[in-house]
């Protein structure tokens, strides 16, 4: 490595961390400043996609409480055709990437969705992901004080690993979102 690279590499890394933190604080202020669930959710999917340099992002929300509980896509940002408002995902302990989530362990992700064998695939959701050409996908529930408000997803059509910094940023976004959505629900 050259002298300049050794000298400026750490500075560039510090600048990137500061920019991410600044963006995160800005999102937190934006989310907590709103009083409307739709406004907060729309802001969240847009900012998550941009901050994580993803092709798309979406929120799925729980639909019902009985034995046939499902999640449906409610908010989407980025160019998609198959992942759209109203797409349903069955809900279960072993269904979909989100089934790998464990509280306190941060988001779950895959670098190559089509070849990941850790979870059972739901037909409609899997068909939509394959139709979109999704490879990298990360998700985490948005929760606050024991209440679940849905799951946030970001995805890309290329194989990529989410860095530790990106996973941390995503977890913080989901935490802010849980608080903001709880607060917005109080105003509804």
């Amino acid at each position: 490595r050259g002298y300049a690279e050794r000298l400026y590499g750490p500075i560039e890394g510090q600048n990137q961390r500061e920019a991410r933190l600044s963006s995160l604080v800005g999102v937190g202020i934006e989310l907590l400043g709103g009083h409307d669930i739709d406004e907060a959710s729309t802001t969240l999917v847009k900012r998550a996609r941009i901050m994580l340099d993803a092709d798309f992002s979406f929120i799925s929300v729980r639909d019902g409480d009985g034995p046939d509980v499902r999640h449906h896509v409610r908010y989407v940002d980025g160019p998609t055709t198959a992942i759209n408002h109203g797409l349903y995902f069955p809900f279960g302990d072993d269904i979909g990437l989100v089934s790998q989530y464990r509280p306190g362990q941060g988001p779950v992700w895959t670098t190559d969705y089509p070849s990941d064998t850790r979870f059972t695939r739901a037909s409609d959701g899997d068909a939509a992901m394959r139709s979109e050409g999704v490879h990298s996908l990360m998700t985490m529930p948005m929760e606050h004080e024991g209440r679940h408000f849905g799951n946030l997803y970001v995805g890309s059509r290329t194989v990529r690993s989410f860095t530790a910094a990106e996973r941390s940023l995503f977890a913080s976004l989901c935490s802010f979102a849980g608080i903001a959505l709880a607060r917005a629900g109080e105003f509804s």
Side-chain angles (χ1 to χ4, degrees):
R1 290 180 7 169
Y3 176 74
E5 189 176 315
R6 286 193 312 268
L7 180 64
Y8 291 110
I11 294 171
E12 181 63 29
Q14 180 65 28
N15 289 343
Q16 287 176 351
R17 284 188 293 279
E18 288 176 8
R20 281 191 178 125
L21 182 58
S22 178
S23 290
L24 182 61
V25 169
V27 171
I29 291 168
E30 225 175 316
L31 288 174
L32 295 173
H35 298 301
D36 178 77
I37 289 176
D38 290 331
E39 179 185 348
S41 298
T42 301
T43 296
L44 179 63
V45 292
K46 182 178 193 78
R47 297 292 294 269
R49 182 182 63 79
I50 292 168
M51 289 173 71
L52 291 159
D53 194 26
D55 292 329
F56 62 87
S57 62
F58 66 92
I59 292 174
S60 69
V61 295
R62 192 178 183 139
D63 185 29
D65 291 319
D68 297 324
V69 172
R70 303 183 299 178
H71 271 237
H72 71 274
V73 173
R74 183 143 177 208
Y75 304 93
V76 182
D77 190 70
T80 61
T81 55
I83 301 171
N84 53 40
H85 182 81
L87 173 67
Y88 280 95
F89 297 96
F91 185 76
D93 291 338
D94 64 342
I95 299 174
L97 180 61
V98 75
S99 69
Q100 301 300 301
Y101 173 75
R102 301 295 175 264
Q105 294 186 357
V108 291
W109 73 98
T110 180
T111 57
D112 193 19
Y113 179 87
S115 64
D116 198 323
T117 59
R118 295 176 297 161
F119 53 89
T120 303
R121 294 164 190 282
S123 59
D124 290 349
D126 189 55
M129 296 299 173
R130 289 183 185 277
S131 175
E132 290 291 340
V134 173
H135 281 279
S136 303
L137 189 66
M138 181 164 48
T139 185
M140 186 171 168
M142 298 174 295
E143 300 171 319
H144 182 64
E145 294 181 345
R147 291 179 56 203
H148 181 263
F149 297 98
N151 303 316
L152 177 62
Y153 293 79
V154 294
S156 296
R157 292 177 180 89
T158 56
V159 174
R160 72 177 260 207
S161 293
F162 293 100
T163 66
E166 289 172 324
R167 294 189 309 266
S168 177
L169 176 66
F170 189 73
S172 296
L173 282 171
C174 289
S175 294
F176 278 149
I179 295 166
L181 293 171
R183 189 169 178 266
E186 293 171 4
F187 290 105
S188 297

